[in-house]
């Protein structure tokens, strides 16, 4: 699209011209205006294509847009009219394309999931949006989280429930948020500040730094999914704020919707078509038995090794019984990878006979 390089935020009076934005409380409309910019396109350019599934909500501010189905004009809408008060072709996949028919148009393109969440907050009165949009490095945690491609897989009702059930906590530099070896209780989203992820080993009691996380990033999901204890320690590097979701809510609302379970036959078919086995057991377990051409990345190293994986290749995560591999598949999905997890793990495959001695280690 022919968008301006430095779009300006939109005045709330413009937002009030559109439905359902006109129903938002003033405080929340102002928060939305800081997340919204005016865009422009010249004659003949497309706002969106027929069949488009991008989760954007478009509002026409000025100019004329024509709708095309199978290449034929089936309707037009002009900015400022009653028809333009509503979103353009909001049903996905879109039944038609939208093309600029005047010299130029001005329009708004909002993230649909974010808009749904804002409307839900506003109508329930649980939060004011401005309370939940602390800035950090020019962005905000909610927008960063919703732009995570994995969250696009979550049903809208689940997504709204997630934001409704998040609990805010403050933290100071040096605070240990989760400790290696402890039981998993919460999933965390960073609102502001930075955290260090470290893992203690027999040879390094101080802990090896695995990652540094910032606004909009998440942690704590591995032990909630696998049922094991925390496999790393997360410490605040700066003062900050976090949102946390309880284990039960995480499992019901985020965990299952984001995982794609397959049986062994389906997994083999995926591999035959170009997917790769991703074995997340320990190296000693992997050496004992593994699938041909499998990649071995122990679960606690998955985040650290993401850059070594090809985002264009689907990955089939596997371990002994599915616990660790489901946690790995979640992390991959969260980072935009095409990932699957084998139901029952290796215990349900041809390698099961080789696991008599190691089956209980998971």
């Amino acid at each position: 699209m022919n968008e301006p390089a430095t779009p300006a935020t939109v005045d709330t009076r413009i937002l009030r011209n559109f439905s359902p934005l006109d129903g938002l409380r003033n405080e929340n409309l102002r928060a939305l205006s800081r997340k919204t910019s005016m865009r422009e396109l010249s004659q003949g350019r497309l706002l969106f294509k027929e069949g488009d599934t991008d989760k954007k909500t478009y509002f026409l501010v000025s100019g004329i847009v024509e709708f095309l189905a199978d290449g034929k004009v089936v309707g037009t809408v002009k900015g400022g009219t009653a028809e333009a008060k509503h979103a353009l072709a909001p049903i996905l996949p879109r039944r038609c394309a939208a093309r600029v028919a005047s010299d130029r148009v001005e329009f708004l393109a909002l993230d649909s999931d974010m808009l749904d969440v804002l409307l839900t907050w506003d109508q329930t009165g649980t939060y004011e949006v401005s309370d939940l949009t602390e800035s950090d490095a020019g962005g905000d945690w909610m927008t960063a989280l919703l732009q995570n491609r994995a969250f696009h897989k979550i049903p809208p009702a689940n997504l709204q429930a997630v934001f409704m059930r998040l609990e805010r906590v403050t933290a100071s530099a040096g605070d240990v948020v989760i400790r290696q070896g402890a039981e998993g209780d919460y999933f965390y989203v960073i609102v502001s500040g930075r955290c260090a992820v470290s893992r203690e080993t027999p040879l390094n009691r101080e802990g090896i730094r695995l990652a540094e996380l910032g606004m909009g990033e998440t942690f704590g999901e591995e032990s909630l999914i696998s049922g094991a204890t925390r496999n790393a320690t997360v410490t605040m590097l700066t003062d900050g704020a976090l949102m946390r979701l309880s284990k039960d809510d995480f499992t019901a609302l985020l965990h299952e919707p984001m995982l794609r379970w397959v049986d062994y036959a389906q997994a083999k078919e995926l591999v035959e078509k170009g997917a790769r086995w991703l074995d997340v057991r320990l190296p000693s377990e992997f050496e004992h038995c593994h699938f041909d051409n499998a990649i071995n990345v122990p679960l606690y190293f998955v985040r650290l090794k993401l850059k070594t994986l090809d985002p264009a290749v689907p990955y089939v995560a596997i371990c002994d019984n599915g616990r660790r591999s489901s946690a790995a598949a979640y992390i991959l999905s969260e980072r935009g990878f095409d990932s699957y997890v084998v139901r029952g793990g290796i215990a349900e495959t041809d390698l099961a006979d080789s696991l008599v001695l190691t089956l209980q280690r998971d």
Side-chain angles (χ1 to χ4, degrees):
M1 287 189 181
N2 189 23
E3 298 172 9
T6 56
T9 58
V10 178
D11 191 289
T12 57
R13 289 173 295 183
I14 294 177
L15 297 181
R16 285 278 185 214
N17 292 324
F18 302 104
S19 176
L21 309 184
D22 54 356
L24 288 171
R25 288 180 289 171
N26 290 332
E27 297 84 357
N28 292 344
L29 194 67
R30 284 195 293 269
L32 179 62
S33 74
R34 293 193 292 271
K35 300 172 180 291
T36 308
S37 60
M38 186 77 73
R39 304 188 183 190
E40 295 183 8
L41 280 179
S42 56
Q43 189 171 30
R45 300 297 298 275
L46 292 176
L47 277 76
F48 50 80
K49 298 179 180 180
E50 184 175 358
D52 177 35
T53 58
D54 191 21
K55 290 187 176 181
K56 294 289 185 182
T57 300
Y58 293 89
F59 294 104
L60 180 62
V61 178
S62 67
I64 300 173
V65 165
E66 57 187 9
F67 298 114
L68 300 93
D70 297 324
K72 298 180 180 179
V73 177
V74 295
T76 61
V77 62
K78 182 178 181 180
T81 63
E83 291 79 7
K85 182 179 178 67
H86 305 282
L88 304 176
I91 304 301
L92 300 181
R94 302 194 196 276
R95 301 331 193 238
C96 58
R99 184 173 65 190
V100 180
S102 52
D103 289 341
R104 72 182 183 93
V105 299
E106 294 178 307
F107 67 99
L108 310 176
L110 283 66
D111 183 285
S112 299
D113 284 335
M114 181 179 71
L115 180 58
D116 284 342
V117 170
L118 298 185
L119 289 168
T120 302
W121 277 337
D122 187 276
Q123 293 166 19
T124 60
T126 303
Y127 292 112
E128 287 186 358
V129 176
S130 55
D131 294 335
L132 295 164
T133 56
E134 288 195 17
S135 294
D136 185 271
D140 69 77
W141 70 274
M142 186 183 67
T143 302
L145 191 64
L146 289 173
Q147 288 173 345
N148 184 317
R149 283 191 290 170
F151 276 71
H152 296 173
K153 302 174 185 177
I154 300 171
N158 285 36
L159 192 60
Q160 292 171 3
V162 166
F163 281 91
M164 297 296 294
R165 298 182 193 183
L166 284 168
E167 176 188 3
R168 183 189 181 90
V169 293
T170 58
S172 301
D175 286 353
V176 174
V177 183
I178 62 176
R179 190 177 297 279
Q180 183 176 335
E183 295 295 324
D185 49 3
Y186 289 100
F187 164 75
Y188 290 90
V189 183
I190 302 174
V191 175
S192 62
R194 299 196 66 78
C195 303
V197 182
S198 61
R199 179 176 174 80
E200 181 182 314
T201 70
L203 299 179
N204 192 326
R205 309 304 294 182
E206 297 298 318
I208 300 171
R209 176 76 66 90
L210 300 178
E212 186 173 317
L213 307 176
M215 179 272 300
E217 294 190 276
T218 62
F219 60 89
E221 62 269 39
E222 289 97 326
S223 67
L224 303 188
I225 296 172
S226 67
T229 57
R230 299 289 195 188
N231 61 18
T233 294
V234 177
T235 306
M236 295 297 298
L237 293 173
T238 67
D239 293 346
L242 308 166
M243 286 289 182
R244 67 183 188 183
L245 188 69
S246 72
K247 180 178 181 178
D248 289 344
D249 285 339
F250 172 83
T251 300
L253 299 172
L254 287 181
H255 173 204
E256 290 301 331
M258 285 176 66
L259 289 181
R260 287 186 291 180
W261 294 89
V262 294
D263 59 28
Y264 181 41
Q266 292 170 318
K268 288 194 295 184
E269 184 176 348
L270 286 167
V271 172
E272 289 171 0
K273 293 180 178 179
R276 294 290 305 273
W277 292 109
L278 182 67
D279 194 317
V280 299
R281 297 172 299 157
L282 296 173
S284 59
E285 297 173 285
F286 180 79
E287 291 171 6
H288 178 66
C289 67
H290 59 264
F291 289 107
D292 291 341
N293 300 316
I295 303 169
N296 181 216
V297 181
L299 175 59
Y300 54 82
F301 278 139
V302 168
R303 289 182 188 273
L304 192 63
K305 297 292 186 179
L306 285 174
K307 292 182 180 180
T308 68
L309 302 178
D310 186 347
V313 173
Y315 289 94
V316 180
I318 195 162
C319 66
D320 288 355
N321 56 31
R323 291 175 185 163
R324 284 177 285 179
S325 50
S326 63
Y330 181 98
I331 295 170
L332 291 178
S333 178
E334 194 178 33
R335 297 303 189 273
F337 286 83
D338 187 11
S339 62
Y340 302 83
V341 57
V342 181
R343 186 177 290 105
I346 292 176
E348 300 296 326
T349 73
D350 297 338
L351 293 180
D353 291 342
S354 302
L355 292 179
V356 174
L357 298 179
T358 61
L359 189 56
Q360 301 303 319
R361 292 185 186 177
D362 218 353

